[in-house]
Amino acid sequence: MKRETKKIVEIQGRKFEIRSFDAFTGSYIAFTLMEKMLPMGMEAKVMNTLRAEGKDVDALPTPNRALMSKGEFIAFQRDVLSVVGEVLPGRTAPLFNDNGSWGVENVADNAMLVILLTIHALVFNIAGFFTGDGLKELKAGLQSLSFANTAT
């Protein structure tokens, strides 16, 4: 089945197009979400499963649960919103201009719209990674990893 690469959502009476992340951005966003935002204890469950399967996981990095700085959060959110544009008559205007300023009107002071667009872009692009076949493929990939034995 072909993956959907864009969709239109209506928020606050306006239409927005959400496109797919490129592979690098999608990977970065997924790993950032796993590191910073997954429920506490999730990484412990994964590590315990790998240990029970005889894998040596002591050399793996541990998640960084520190809060993002304001700058990190803004950069993350800009990356997420980089795939969003407003559907206007005759064209779709990107949410951001090339110089980083807002590319559409009445967004800069509308926090609720920005939050909702961020959520829609994340769900559209990342939801499949954390549900159904995405988790099965992740688990299969983890099970196929051969961790080097680092005992000294």
Side-chain angles (χ1 to χ4, degrees), residues 34-45 63-66:
M34 286 191 293
E35 180 182 43
K36 300 280 188 184
M37 299 172 194
L38 277 182
M40 295 298 233
M42 183 78 129
E43 69 276 359
K45 289 179 184 180
N64 176 5
R65 294 290 182 191

Side-chain angles (χ1 to χ4, degrees), residues 81-125:
L81 293 174
S82 70
V83 297
V84 178
E86 185 169 15
V87 179
L88 301 171
R91 70 183 183 105
T92 299
L95 209 57
F96 296 107
N97 292 317
D98 291 339
N99 66 5
S101 64
W102 292 104
V104 296
E105 294 181 18
N106 302 317
V107 177
D109 60 351
N110 190 339
M112 184 55 67
L113 178 60
V114 171
I115 291 167
L116 291 171
L117 288 171
T118 302
I119 291 168
H120 275 280
L122 284 171
V123 169
F124 176 72
N125 278 285

Side-chain angles (χ1 to χ4, degrees), residues 5-105:
T5 59
K6 66 180 177 179
K7 79 175 201 175
I8 305 294
V9 296
E10 188 168 333
I11 303 172
Q12 297 182 351
R14 299 166 70 174
K15 289 186 180 180
F16 294 90
E17 179 183 86
I18 299 173
R19 298 174 313 282
S20 297
F21 293 139
D22 65 70
F24 288 118
T25 301
S27 298
Y28 161 72
I29 298 295
F31 277 92
T32 300
L33 286 172
M34 286 191 293
E35 180 182 43
K36 300 280 188 184
M37 299 172 194
L38 277 182
M40 295 298 233
M42 183 78 129
E43 69 276 359
K45 289 179 184 180
V46 170
M47 296 299 200
N48 289 339
T49 299
L50 291 172
R51 280 191 186 98
E53 294 172 356
K55 309 287 187 199
D56 182 1
V57 297
D58 293 329
L60 292 177
T62 56
N64 176 5
R65 294 290 182 191
L67 290 176
M68 290 180 175
S69 69
K70 181 179 178 181
E72 289 171 323
F73 180 80
I74 289 171
F76 177 82
Q77 193 169 32
R78 279 186 182 272
D79 284 339
V80 171
L81 293 174
S82 70
V83 297
V84 178
E86 185 169 15
V87 179
L88 301 171
R91 70 183 183 105
T92 299
L95 209 57
F96 296 107
N97 292 317
D98 291 339
N99 66 5
S101 64
W102 292 104
V104 296
E105 294 181 18

